[in-house]
Amino acid sequence: MFFEPPPALEEDASAAPPGLPIWYAPPADQAGTMTLTGLELARTPNVVVTLPSITAYRAGCLLNVEVAMRRHTLSADDYRALQMSVFPVMVPGVTSGRPLPDTLLRFGVRFADGTKATTVGQRFERLNIPREEPPGPRLSWLLGGMSMRSGGEDAGIVTPVGLWLWPLPPREPFELALEWPAGGMELGFTSLDGSAIGSAADRSAPHWPQQP
């Protein structure tokens, strides 16, 4: 036999990556409560960004954003570049001390007292996530994929974007910020209901309640 199975590898218990901290992503052992919003955050001839729903947990809330885009009048190269710029890891030039690149899609939140958090400058290497709990608030961009939809080439594509806001926002109105120069979107703010999010979080529950 020329091609033989490889030898068995020794198990390395230390090789398992550490779990994600609660301030970085929603808890896997809890069922969040979804509240529908149906909000349109921004619109251009080629792109529409919406916030169909928010999923609330005891520790924070997941803003379920959707980015829909179509080629329309764009060239094939420009349309492809626009699709890629939805993913922050594909956008070069995001460095300290330099202006943000126009291709960077940016989200942020701002509370009534002026406190804010944005997605700018985040790193996506799981092994390099700081383990110490940072001061809140924090808005984490969760990497996802494209959502399959029906229709032809002109129907466009939809990319879901999960924004994890930790901890829960105050139970009062706050703002969600969006800016995307390459997508033709200037800085804009949309008001969100922190009280409704908090009420939904009160109804969240663990998947496997502890037995008495």
Side-chain angles (χ1 to χ4, degrees):
M1 182 182 295
F2 183 80
F3 294 102
E4 300 177 359
L9 298 177
E10 295 182 3
E11 294 186 1
D12 184 0
S14 64
L20 295 174
I22 189 62
W23 51 263
Y24 190 86
D29 60 351
Q30 294 180 22
T33 302
M34 182 173 291
T35 174
L36 301 180
T37 62
L39 293 173
E40 183 179 288
L41 306 181
R43 170 183 291 272
T44 71
N46 300 94
V47 185
V48 179
V49 182
T50 61
L51 179 66
S53 64
I54 299 174
T55 307
Y57 300 81
R58 300 288 175 134
C61 61
L62 182 63
L63 309 179
N64 302 301
V65 175
E66 289 189 346
V67 181
M69 62 181 67
R70 62 175 180 173
R71 179 176 173 182
H72 195 42
T73 58
L74 296 175
S75 68
D77 289 342
D78 288 344
Y79 185 46
R80 190 177 303 108
L82 190 64
Q83 293 178 44
M84 290 297 100
S85 66
V86 175
F87 305 97
V89 293
M90 302 297 292
V91 179
V94 184
T95 57
S96 177
R98 298 182 58 183
L100 296 177
D102 288 346
T103 50
L104 182 66
L105 173 55
R106 313 147 199 181
F107 292 98
V109 293
R110 184 170 64 185
F111 299 142
D113 64 359
T115 303
K116 70 176 185 178
T118 76
T119 57
V120 174
Q122 293 186 17
R123 302 179 64 182
F124 297 91
E125 300 92 343
R126 179 168 179 169
L127 295 178
N128 292 326
I129 296 175
R131 312 316 297 178
E132 294 184 2
E133 184 176 291
R138 178 183 170 89
L139 188 65
S140 300
W141 185 308
L142 306 182
L143 297 182
M146 292 187 180
S147 178
M148 295 181 65
R149 301 293 172 94
S150 61
E153 181 179 355
D154 292 337
I157 59 174
V158 177
T159 302
V161 174
L163 302 175
W164 172 242
L165 176 58
W166 171 92
L168 275 174
R171 300 196 178 205
E172 58 185 2
F174 68 100
E175 295 174 309
L176 175 62
L178 163 64
E179 185 179 39
W180 193 14
M185 298 177 174
E186 299 180 351
L187 177 62
F189 296 88
T190 301
S191 180
L192 301 181
D193 188 350
S195 179
I197 294 173
S199 297
D202 291 340
R203 301 192 301 273
S204 65
H207 287 305
W208 301 278
Q210 293 182 353
Q211 298 297 325

